[in-house]
């Protein structure tokens, strides 16, 4: 299976190992496979009796054809092991009649990024060997909180790779800061910077494109790499859990083979929901894919009108992982529905005007599978409260946005098809806002919110967040944004 850029301008035709190592295409586009492999109902039936790691290896082997099945199975077994995902990687839980929650947050950082970041580093490590790379990959990450921690957990102690994470010293929650400052592993570094997330992000981008820095690293036996969500190595593993959810619903008798299910996904960068679309294109019986947004509802507008316009206000919400105005992975949907030439044109327009409008035929194709709804802050809080008090299900702020969107879709369409909602974070990850939504007083300290929520709801704090205040702090350094490159050099010379 070969991969090419969504923009079709670079002429690169690469293998899966090559694109996992490279990340982005040279023309600025994202890599997509030349064809979509199929998944028959016989295969789905067979997957039903398999474990999550076995389901994952089966699906991944269709896309990552220069990895052997045994390599993938070994990596999946380690990535999705019981120790990292106690009780299973992606359980399906009934949230209310007709709505199922696909819980993707049982991993080491209590958010769904683990589903990709536990496996992707292993795929990269193998890609280095497969492509004859002798240097060590240095992963640089700028984070507003969640991605950094998930990347650290994924890359720690992986062969041939070191990782360095920068976060804004006053731009992350106390829980997030503690999670990163106490990170274990022999190949990790965490550095805070004075400034905001944009300063951190700009600093990392600058280092990536600094030819002196690249030469310095090369001299020391390193090269830069990124853990960004536009890497195919993060996207492919996300297809698996939609297939797995279908298998679980078959096994439990909630659906019969061939029955359609709808899927609703709390969306930021459009990676997670695009993975659902790929599963559908492969042949998984998915009906509507409902794209759920928070107050930053640029995707809702796009799906309703066909016009993507980032010239609008940015809102900071209680579902911060969806506070995004440029959904990078949407480009992959455009490439599949509009073709490469039009995609390149749309992306040019986005870069120069901040907007583009898709042709009517493209919009019609997107409409066949997608629709969009959003929840503002009040509806999100109300959904958390209602789901807990009426249905006994406690969602986090991101999942609540999706539950609200799912309810809106069901209300307006009358569609009774079973609905799977992707649940992307543990409620404890956003405990303070969940407490307030439940009508409790806002806890003064983020860390106190964990116990308050546990006591009030009778639910359990997930293992990654337990006793977090008692862990050893390993990283305390804060530098100016201008000194990030110095910090990188210092780290690799250690
Ligand atoms: C990253 C993230 C999302 C958004 O996922 P995308 O793939 O970027 O659309 C939603 N919820 C949580 C909790 C996240 O961390």
């Amino acid at each position: 299976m070969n991969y090419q850029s969504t923009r079709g301008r670079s002429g690169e035709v690469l293998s899966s190992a090559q694109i996992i190592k490279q990340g982005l295409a040279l023309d600025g586009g994202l890599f997509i496979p030349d064809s979509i492999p199929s998944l028959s109902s016989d295969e789905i039936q067979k997957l039903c009796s398999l474990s999550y790691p076995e389901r994952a290896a089966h699906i991944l082997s269709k896309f990552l054809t220069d990895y052997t099945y045994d390599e993938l199975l070994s990596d999946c077994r380690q990535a999705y092991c019981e120790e990292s995902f106690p009780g299973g990687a992606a359980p399906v839980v009934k949230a209310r009649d007709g709505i199922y929650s696909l819980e993707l947050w049982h991993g080491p950082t209590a958010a769904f990024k683990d589903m990709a970041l536990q496996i992707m580093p292993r795929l990269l490590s193998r890609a280095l060997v497969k492509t004859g790379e002798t240097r060590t990959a240095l992963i640089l990450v700028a984070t507003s909180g969640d991605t950094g921690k998930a990347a650290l957990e994924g890359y720690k102690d992986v062969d041939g790779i070191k990782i360095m994470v920068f976060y804004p010293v006053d731009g992350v929650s106390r829980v997030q800061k503690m999670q990163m400052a106490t990170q274990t592993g022999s190949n990790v570094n965490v550095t805070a910077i004075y400034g905001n997330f944009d300063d951190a992000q700009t600093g990392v981008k600058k280092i990536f494109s600094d030819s002196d820095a690249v030469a310095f690293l090369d001299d020391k036996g390193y090269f830069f790499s990124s853990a960004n969500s536009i890497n195919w190595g993060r996207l492919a593993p996300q297809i698996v859990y939609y297939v797995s959810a279908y298998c679980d619903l078959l096994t439990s008798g909630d659906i019969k083979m061939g029955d359609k299910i709808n899927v609703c996904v709390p969306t930021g960068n459009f990676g997670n929901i695009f993975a659902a679309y790929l599963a559908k294109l492969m042949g998984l019986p998915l009906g509507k894919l409902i794209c759920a947004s928070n107050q930053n509802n640029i995707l809702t507008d796009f799906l309703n009108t066909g016009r993507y316009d980032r010239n609008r206000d940015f809102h900071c919400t209680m579902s911060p992982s969806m506070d995004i105005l440029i959904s990078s992975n949407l480009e992959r949907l455009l490439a599949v529905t509009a073709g490469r030439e039009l995609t390149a044109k749309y992306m040019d327009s986005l870069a120069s005007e901040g907007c583009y409008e898709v042709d009517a035929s493209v919009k019609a194709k997107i409409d066949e599978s997608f629709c969009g709804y959003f929840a503002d802050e009040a509806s999100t809080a109300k959904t958390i409260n209602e789901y807990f008090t009426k249905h006994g299900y406690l969602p986090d702020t991101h999942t609540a946005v999706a539950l609200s969107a799912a309810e809106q879709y069901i209300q307006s369409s009358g569609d009774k098809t079973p609905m799977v909602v992707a649940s992307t974070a543990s409620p404890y990850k956003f405990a303070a806002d969940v407490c307030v939504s439940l009508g409790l007083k806002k806890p003064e300290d983020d860390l106190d919110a964990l116990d308050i929520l546990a006591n009030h709801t009778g639910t359990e704090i997930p293992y990654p967040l337990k006793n977090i205040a008692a862990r050893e702090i390993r990283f305390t350094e804060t530098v100016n944004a201008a000194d990030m490159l110095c910090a990188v050099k210092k780290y690799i010379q250690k």
Side-chain angles (χ1 to χ4, degrees):
M1 166 107 43
N2 286 322
Y3 291 78
Q4 294 185 53
S5 168
T6 46
R7 299 185 193 177
R9 285 175 178 165
S10 64
E12 295 161 282
V13 181
L14 300 178
S15 75
S16 51
Q18 287 171 316
I19 59 154
I20 285 172
K21 178 178 155 194
Q22 184 174 324
L24 208 62
L26 293 174
D27 59 8
L30 314 189
F31 286 112
I32 49 168
D34 279 349
S35 62
I36 307 290
S38 66
L39 182 70
S40 68
S41 44
D42 278 355
E43 279 177 280
I44 297 173
Q45 195 69 59
K46 283 201 189 102
L47 290 177
C48 283
S49 59
L50 302 186
S51 67
Y52 191 86
E54 290 166 331
R55 290 172 183 175
H58 183 86
I59 302 295
L60 287 176
S61 69
K62 293 174 180 280
F63 287 98
L64 311 181
T65 48
D66 44 2
Y67 294 68
T68 67
Y69 177 78
D70 287 342
E71 287 173 339
L72 292 171
L73 183 59
S74 158
D75 288 349
C76 289
R77 283 201 168 128
Q78 285 176 42
Y80 303 113
C81 64
E82 179 68 20
E83 191 194 2
S84 300
F85 291 85
V92 176
V93 172
K94 199 171 199 172
R96 74 154 173 85
D97 273 349
I99 298 189
Y100 302 87
S101 177
L102 171 58
E103 295 186 343
L104 305 173
W105 45 262
H106 291 270
T109 74
F112 104 100
K113 303 272 188 305
D114 290 333
M115 298 302 297
L117 279 167
Q118 282 298 303
I119 180 87
M120 148 95 180
R122 301 168 208 275
L123 301 176
L124 174 60
S125 185
R126 287 195 195 277
L128 299 181
V129 177
K130 287 178 192 295
T131 58
E133 181 60 66
T134 53
R135 296 168 299 172
T136 301
L138 178 64
I139 309 279
L140 289 190
V141 182
T143 185
S144 54
D146 281 349
T147 303
K149 178 62 186 177
L152 285 163
E153 277 298 321
Y155 285 93
K156 77 170 179 199
D157 299 326
V158 173
D159 286 345
I161 303 176
K162 284 191 178 179
I163 175 167
M164 195 164 182
V165 169
F166 292 97
Y167 72 88
V169 69
D170 294 319
V172 303
S173 76
R174 207 156 111 69
V175 172
Q176 288 172 323
K177 195 180 284 190
M178 282 300 285
Q179 278 188 300
M180 288 189 280
T182 59
Q183 178 64 44
T184 60
S186 58
N187 62 338
V188 304
N189 177 275
V190 178
T191 303
I193 66 143
Y194 296 109
N196 58 27
F197 171 64
D198 279 335
D199 298 322
Q201 172 111 311
T202 306
V204 164
K205 281 194 181 149
K206 232 159 102 193
I207 295 173
F208 274 132
S209 58
D210 179 335
S211 52
D212 287 344
V214 171
F216 177 88
L217 249 75
D218 189 53
D219 186 49
K220 303 279 179 223
Y222 287 85
F223 72 99
F224 287 126
S225 187
S226 114
N228 209 292
S229 79
I230 52 191
N231 193 305
W232 182 255
R234 279 189 60 180
L235 208 120
Q238 300 185 354
I239 302 167
V240 175
Y241 44 73
Y242 294 106
V243 178
S244 179
Y246 195 88
C247 291
D248 286 352
L249 289 172
L250 276 177
T251 306
S252 64
D254 287 82
I255 57 171
K256 291 193 301 298
M257 180 57 81
D259 284 355
K260 284 219 160 110
I261 59 172
N262 292 333
V263 169
C264 179
V265 183
T267 297
N269 229 343
F270 210 77
N272 200 358
I273 193 165
F274 184 70
Y277 185 57
L278 285 172
K280 177 171 176 170
L281 294 180
M282 289 174 79
L284 191 71
L286 300 183
K288 276 282 178 211
L289 309 177
I290 293 124
C291 174
S293 299
N294 63 23
Q295 190 68 54
N296 296 294
N297 56 358
I298 187 165
L299 286 168
T300 319
D301 288 348
F302 170 70
L303 291 170
N304 284 333
T305 65
R307 186 178 162 80
Y308 194 92
D309 189 352
R310 65 161 298 191
N311 303 302
R312 59 174 70 213
D313 290 339
F314 177 84
H315 302 279
C316 288
T317 72
M318 60 173 140
S319 45
S321 301
M322 299 159 70
D323 292 345
I324 281 180
L325 289 184
I326 302 248
S327 296
S328 317
N329 271 299
L330 187 60
E331 182 170 344
R332 286 195 163 108
L333 176 66
L334 296 175
V336 171
T337 53
R340 294 187 157 89
E341 209 171 309
L342 275 177
T343 301
K345 200 181 94 184
Y346 299 151
M347 291 302 116
D348 286 345
S349 170
L350 182 64
S352 60
E353 316 292 326
C355 64
Y356 60 85
E357 182 157 357
V358 297
D359 301 35
S361 62
V362 176
K363 175 152 191 330
K365 225 184 234 173
I366 293 174
D367 285 345
E368 283 171 21
S369 292
F370 290 88
C371 57
Y373 291 86
F374 78 99
D376 61 16
E377 295 290 271
S379 316
T380 305
K382 190 165 157 255
T383 303
I384 292 173
N385 199 319
E386 282 188 2
Y387 263 77
F388 184 66
T389 50
K390 273 197 206 154
H391 310 300
Y393 187 76
L394 184 68
D396 94 293
T397 48
H398 303 75
T399 308
V401 167
L403 287 167
S404 167
E407 297 284 359
Q408 292 176 55
Y409 167 77
I410 292 167
Q411 191 85 47
S412 62
S413 67
D415 185 351
K416 294 274 186 349
T417 307
M419 173 83 74
V420 168
V421 170
S423 175
T424 49
S426 156
Y428 285 90
K429 192 119 201 200
F430 301 92
D433 286 314
V434 172
C435 282
V436 173
S437 305
L438 293 175
L440 304 171
K441 201 169 107 235
K442 187 163 182 95
E444 258 167 50
D445 186 334
D446 257 22
L447 292 177
D448 295 340
L450 297 173
D451 287 325
I452 295 172
L453 190 60
N455 287 335
H456 180 77
T457 61
T459 57
E460 211 178 310
I461 301 175
Y463 82 92
L465 299 175
K466 263 185 200 157
N467 305 323
I468 188 161
R471 284 181 215 160
E472 184 203 351
I473 293 183
R474 293 183 67 205
F475 302 101
T476 53
E477 194 162 16
T478 307
V479 304
N480 288 314
D483 297 328
M484 286 166 64
L485 181 54
C486 287
V488 170
K489 288 182 175 175
K490 207 168 112 194
Y491 175 53
I492 63 166
Q493 278 176 314
K494 257 198 219 156

